[in-house]
């Protein structure tokens, strides 16, 4: 199966500057090619990847565009290919421009024949990349397979390399274990229909206070000195903030990975809400459950969701499930938190508090997130067509494609 391995790069100053250059060239190629695609569309025409790649090869010979040749040619073609794919899946008008400040620099080496990795010692590895030469990286885990491609990207002031690796593990047969519903809680990070609650704090009280202080200092500096003036002190505050955020992010990733393994080890089907974190957090204008209501309260809830890192958890869950023969099923989350699992009565007042569910019709009482997880499980089983939930039924008779439907 294909999997990813990410390592921290240790560029030399020269390599660092060159990576910035390649990043800007790929960004320019992306933006130019996107504009060209839109221009064609405005005329009711279409330009393909093949044609764009041909034009780019021509442009390299143009004296005005010699800078194109500074970047490894494979990364440029890959940028066009990525754009082609983005336009096909999202539509030409919805694909975004890449911006210097808002888009993290990133470029890919698609050809494994141009990527050579060796281990130098216990802590360091080395990868040879076209035009970069040997680049050292922190050897934090084994590669565990053959490399398919490599992506270099910048995050929080650091450069990383992600190898896409074929690990040689064959598709795992369905494990036939009982299904479970999982709710992302407000009171806790993750609750299951079996009544398990998984949670941890990602920032200590001291760190939360420090975060707040640094953010205040940053915004004060922006107010008094203006947004455009560069300031050393402000950069220092930004760097400290970035470091703190990185530490919290790492803990979240850790929690997501560990919880995912626990779930897939003991369950065959895992039902989760099909909620795009982005949709929910982008605006508090209204959801199925509470149209346009409690915008302020929603803002707090959104912070809690992002704080718990649901998106990262889902990725970890789907990735890990493949290795344990488990299937992740996404269900419509509408009303799962307001419906009584015992009698199916649905009412907003069913929530006694954020943590406690109490049905106004039948008096059923449960942990609010566990009650929601039970509803999610029921919906998930309906989706998979196993409403009667034959736990004992042989999983082999249920092909995974049907479970995933
Ligand atoms: Zn009830």
């Amino acid at each position: 199966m294909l999997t990813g391995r990410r390592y921290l790069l240790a560029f030399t100053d020269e390599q660092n500057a060159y990576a910035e250059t390649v990043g800007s060239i790929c960004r320019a190629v992306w933006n130019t090619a996107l504009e060209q695609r839109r221009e064609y569309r405005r005329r009711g025409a279409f330009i393909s990847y093949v044609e764009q790649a041909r034009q780019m090869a021509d442009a390299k010979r143009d004296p005005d565009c010699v800078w194109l040749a500074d970047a490894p040619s494979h990364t440029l073609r890959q940028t066009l290919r990525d754009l082609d794919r983005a336009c096909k899946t999202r539509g030409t008008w919805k694909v975004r421009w890449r911006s210097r400040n808002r888009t993290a620099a990133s470029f890919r080496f698609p050809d494994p024949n141009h990527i050579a990795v060796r281990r130098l010692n216990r802590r360091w590895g080395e990868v040879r990349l076209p035009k970069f030469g040997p680049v050292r990286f922190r050897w934090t885990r084994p590669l565990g397979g053959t490399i398919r491609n490599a992506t270099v990207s910048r995050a929080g002031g650091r450069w990383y390399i992600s190898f896409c690796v074929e690990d040689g593990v064959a598709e795992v047969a369905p494990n036939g274990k009982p299904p479970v519903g999982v709710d992302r809680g407000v009171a806790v990070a993750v609750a299951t229909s079996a009544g398990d609650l998984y949670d941890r704090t990602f920032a200590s009280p001291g760190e939360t206070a420090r975060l707040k202080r640094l953010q205040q200092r940053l915004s004060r500096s922006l107010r008094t000195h203006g947004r455009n003036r560069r300031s050393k002190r402000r950069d220092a505050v930004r760097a400290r903030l970035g470091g703190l955020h990185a530490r919290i992010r790492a803990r979240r990733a850790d929690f997501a990975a560990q919880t995912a393994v626990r779930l897939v080890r003991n369950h065959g089907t895992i039902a989760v809400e099909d909620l795009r974190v982005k949709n929910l957090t982008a605006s508090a204008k209204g959801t199925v459950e509470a149209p346009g209501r409690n915008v302020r309260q929603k803002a707090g809830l959104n912070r809690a969701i992002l704080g718990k890192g649901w998106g990262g958890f889902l990725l970890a869950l789907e990735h890990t499930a493949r290795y344990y023969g488990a299937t992740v099923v996404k269900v419509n989350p509408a009303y799962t938190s307001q419906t009584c699992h015992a009698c199916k009565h649905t009412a907003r007042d069913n929530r006694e508090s954020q943590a406690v569910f109490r049905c106004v019709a039948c008096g059923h009482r449960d942990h609010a997130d566990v009650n929601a997880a039970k509803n999610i499980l029921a919906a998930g089983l309906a989706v998979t067509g196993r409403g009667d939930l034959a736990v004992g039924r042989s999983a082999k008779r249920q092909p995974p494609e049907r479970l995933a439907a």
Side-chain angles (χ1 to χ4, degrees):
M1 287 190 267
L2 289 177
T3 184
R5 299 269 189 273
R6 187 165 176 255
Y7 304 90
L8 180 62
L9 286 172
F11 278 143
T12 61
D13 288 347
E14 231 169 289
Q15 286 169 338
N16 198 71
Y18 181 55
E20 295 284 353
T21 307
V22 176
S24 336
I25 294 174
C26 288
R27 190 178 63 238
V29 165
W30 174 280
N31 288 341
T32 311
L34 177 56
E35 178 49 39
Q36 188 182 35
R37 276 174 179 262
R38 290 187 173 179
E39 187 50 45
Y40 269 68
R41 288 293 303 278
R42 274 183 216 114
R43 290 190 267 120
F46 172 77
I47 183 161
S48 69
Y49 157 74
V50 176
E51 176 57 20
Q52 287 198 311
R54 202 188 56 72
Q55 290 188 12
M56 189 173 63
D58 287 347
K60 275 190 194 170
R61 287 190 284 274
D62 187 325
D64 288 337
C65 297
V66 280
W67 50 270
L68 272 174
D70 288 344
S73 57
H74 279 114
T75 62
L76 295 183
R77 275 210 295 280
Q78 185 60 43
T79 303
L80 291 179
R81 220 174 277 138
D82 291 342
L83 176 68
D84 183 48
R85 197 155 166 204
C87 288
K88 273 180 185 148
T89 52
R90 271 178 284 163
T92 310
W93 302 104
K94 285 195 178 150
V95 173
R96 293 207 178 183
W97 305 108
R98 292 198 168 166
S99 119
R100 180 184 296 276
N101 294 320
R102 279 178 295 109
T103 321
S106 159
F107 45 90
R108 176 175 300 172
F109 297 90
D111 188 346
N113 296 319
H114 295 171
I115 307 161
V117 172
R118 69 186 179 116
R119 191 164 182 180
L120 296 175
N121 52 45
R122 205 170 61 82
R123 297 184 64 193
W124 293 95
E126 183 192 84
V127 55
R128 281 188 166 272
L129 295 171
K131 294 208 178 190
F132 276 85
V135 183
R136 278 151 62 95
F137 64 89
R138 283 297 308 278
W139 190 281
T140 37
R141 62 190 296 199
L143 266 177
T146 46
I147 295 174
R148 289 298 189 79
N149 60 56
T151 303
V152 172
S153 60
R154 193 181 50 201
R158 292 168 158 204
W159 287 93
Y160 294 87
I161 188 159
S162 307
F163 297 108
C164 176
V165 169
E166 170 55 68
D167 60 12
V169 177
E171 232 21 83
V172 179
N175 63 20
K177 289 180 177 169
V180 70
V182 178
D183 182 47
R184 49 154 150 200
V186 177
V188 293
V190 170
T192 76
S193 51
D196 296 323
L197 306 172
Y198 298 110
D199 203 5
R200 77 166 275 190
T201 44
F202 301 107
S204 70
E207 284 169 336
T208 311
R210 199 135 44 93
L211 262 179
K212 210 168 161 191
R213 216 164 43 235
L214 287 170
Q215 261 150 3
Q216 275 169 355
R217 212 186 291 172
L218 187 64
S219 63
R220 206 177 310 132
S221 149
L222 286 170
R223 254 199 323 275
T224 45
H225 302 295
R227 211 158 272 278
N228 296 322
R229 277 262 314 273
R230 277 195 82 81
S231 127
K232 262 200 181 129
R233 203 176 303 168
R234 196 189 300 162
D235 285 349
V237 173
R238 265 211 194 96
R240 283 174 62 193
L241 254 179
L244 207 50
H245 277 304
R247 213 179 312 156
I248 294 166
R249 246 193 336 263
R251 280 185 209 138
R252 268 211 304 260
D254 213 40
F255 170 80
Q258 283 174 7
T259 312
V261 169
R262 278 190 198 150
L263 287 169
V264 299
R265 211 184 261 152
N266 302 318
H267 300 285
T269 301
I270 296 144
V272 296
E273 296 169 274
D274 184 12
L275 248 192
R276 269 135 241 169
V277 175
K278 241 189 178 163
N279 290 351
L280 199 81
T281 50
S283 87
K285 275 182 215 140
T287 63
V288 191
E289 298 193 24
R293 192 172 158 262
N294 295 338
V295 172
R296 257 211 81 81
Q297 197 186 318
K298 271 260 141 59
L301 178 64
N302 289 343
R303 263 197 304 277
I305 290 164
L306 280 186
K308 306 284 187 190
W310 179 252
F313 172 67
L314 274 195
L315 275 181
L317 192 62
E318 285 183 319
H319 178 256
T320 322
R322 297 187 304 150
Y323 286 83
Y324 286 81
T327 313
V328 178
V329 180
K330 293 183 175 169
V331 304
N332 184 350
Y335 306 111
T336 50
S337 63
Q338 296 170 18
T339 302
C340 168
H341 182 67
C343 75
K344 309 296 171 216
H345 179 71
T346 302
R348 199 172 277 151
D349 300 332
N350 278 349
R351 282 307 265 264
E352 189 175 281
S353 69
Q354 202 152 71
V356 178
F357 182 94
R358 202 187 21 204
C359 179
V360 291
C362 77
H364 174 71
R365 214 164 175 272
D366 204 344
H367 186 287
D369 297 333
V370 172
N371 176 72
K374 286 176 181 166
N375 289 329
I376 289 166
L377 172 60
L381 294 173
V383 169
T384 61
R386 302 209 309 168
D388 60 332
L389 176 55
V391 177
R393 199 192 291 171
S394 164
K396 289 203 181 84
R397 271 188 274 147
Q398 291 283 336
E401 302 83 67
R402 273 205 54 205
L403 292 180

